[in-house]
Amino acid sequence: MAEIDTFFASSLENMIRDNLGDTTYRSIQNRLFEKYGTSITQSIKEFTKLDSVLREFFGAGAEDLEKKFMDRICSIKSKKDKVENRFTISDPVLSQTILKAFGDDEMSKILNSSIGEPWTITEILEKLHIPTTSGYRKINFLIEHGLLIKSGHEYTANQRTVDKYKSLFDNVNIDFNNKITVNVQFTQEVIANSTVLQTVYGK
């Protein structure tokens, strides 16, 4: 499962339901379960499966649907943005999640400090001097919302495997002119590992 696609899953599922209607949504859900034994939510995190079923329903038109849905969630505004892997987050729920994370001192520290350098949870808490109780709660929030993603692991002295995490974003810019606009920059590695972004924008 592509970790980054956790970030898109809920918004994309709502977009499918709202735009295609409950009947079509349920038909797609049933076909996914019949073909892959998976739900719409899970298939978004393994996007080639959802893509395959959407093509059964809509043929070549599935590609346009996917792009339309994703443009309403996060879009590339210019050629320069495409080159720099910069996306504007259009979905209000995702924007609020990012604003909540960066509006919290400790969560903001965690995300900024883990750009490009994966750390274990213990390292994050120790290096940033964050209290364990609030630290675990905030790290769990970031992981659950796809803002902090797994990136490798290391072994402890007794050969236990411990996951390492890093920030989903390379850079975040929040523009407060007229209305709040959230722009995010994904690393090339993150885009390469995202089945959603690869399927929709990689063509």
Side-chain angles (χ1 to χ4, degrees), residues 132-148:
T132 304
T133 306
S134 65
Y136 271 104
R137 188 177 69 250
K138 290 175 181 182
I139 287 170
N140 283 333
F141 173 88
L142 296 173
I143 292 170
E144 283 169 16
H145 289 83
L147 301 178
L148 203 60

Side-chain angles (χ1 to χ4, degrees), residues 43-59:
S43 74
I44 291 168
K45 301 171 189 177
E46 302 170 86
F47 196 68
T48 49
K49 293 179 180 177
L50 178 58
D51 180 56
S52 163
V53 169
L54 288 176
R55 285 173 188 280
E56 287 183 18
F57 280 76
F58 302 105

Side-chain angles (χ1 to χ4, degrees), residues 48-79:
T48 49
K49 293 179 180 177
L50 178 58
D51 180 56
S52 163
V53 169
L54 288 176
R55 285 173 188 280
E56 287 183 18
F57 280 76
F58 302 105
E63 188 175 326
D64 290 335
L65 271 179
E66 291 164 1
K67 286 184 175 169
K68 183 176 88 170
F69 294 159
M70 280 306 295
D71 274 345
R72 292 180 184 177
I73 294 170
C74 83
S75 56
I76 297 172
K77 298 296 186 187
S78 67
K79 287 181 180 176

Side-chain angles (χ1 to χ4, degrees), residues 20-190:
L20 301 181
D22 284 337
T23 304
T24 304
Y25 175 87
R26 281 196 297 272
S27 298
I28 292 168
Q29 180 91 284
N30 291 340
R31 180 60 180 144
L32 278 164
F33 191 78
E34 177 188 304
K35 191 172 182 180
Y36 298 112
T38 192
S39 65
I40 283 190
T41 308
Q42 188 62 30
S43 74
I44 291 168
K45 301 171 189 177
E46 302 170 86
F47 196 68
T48 49
K49 293 179 180 177
L50 178 58
D51 180 56
S52 163
V53 169
L54 288 176
R55 285 173 188 280
E56 287 183 18
F57 280 76
F58 302 105
E63 188 175 326
D64 290 335
L65 271 179
E66 291 164 1
K67 286 184 175 169
K68 183 176 88 170
F69 294 159
M70 280 306 295
D71 274 345
R72 292 180 184 177
I73 294 170
C74 83
S75 56
I76 297 172
K77 298 296 186 187
S78 67
K79 287 181 180 176
K80 184 182 177 190
D81 285 347
K82 185 164 188 177
V83 169
E84 295 179 355
N85 301 322
R86 187 176 291 107
F87 294 77
T88 298
I89 303 296
S90 311
D91 182 78
V93 175
L94 288 183
S95 292
Q96 283 304 313
T97 300
I98 293 168
L99 289 169
K100 179 177 179 179
F102 281 93
D104 179 279
D105 283 346
E106 290 178 343
M107 285 198 274
S108 181
K109 262 191 204 176
I110 291 165
L111 290 172
N112 285 323
S113 302
S114 60
I115 290 173
E117 183 185 357
W119 290 359
T120 66
I121 291 175
T122 303
E123 286 175 331
I124 291 171
L125 299 176
E126 287 177 355
K127 290 183 181 182
L128 300 178
H129 307 293
I130 295 174
T132 304
T133 306
S134 65
Y136 271 104
R137 188 177 69 250
K138 290 175 181 182
I139 287 170
N140 283 333
F141 173 88
L142 296 173
I143 292 170
E144 283 169 16
H145 289 83
L147 301 178
L148 203 60
I149 59 173
K150 280 184 196 173
S151 181
H153 57 267
E154 67 179 30
Y155 295 100
T156 61
N158 58 4
Q159 293 303 298
R160 261 185 65 239
T161 304
V162 181
D163 289 323
K164 300 177 89 168
Y165 295 88
K166 71 176 181 182
S167 175
L168 175 66
F169 308 119
D170 228 7
N171 188 35
V172 174
N173 175 260
I174 299 167
D175 186 352
F176 290 96
N177 288 336
N178 298 324
K179 64 172 187 172
I180 297 173
T181 305
V182 179
N183 298 299
V184 301
Q185 197 169 8
F186 296 120
T187 64
Q188 195 59 52
E189 177 195 357
V190 162

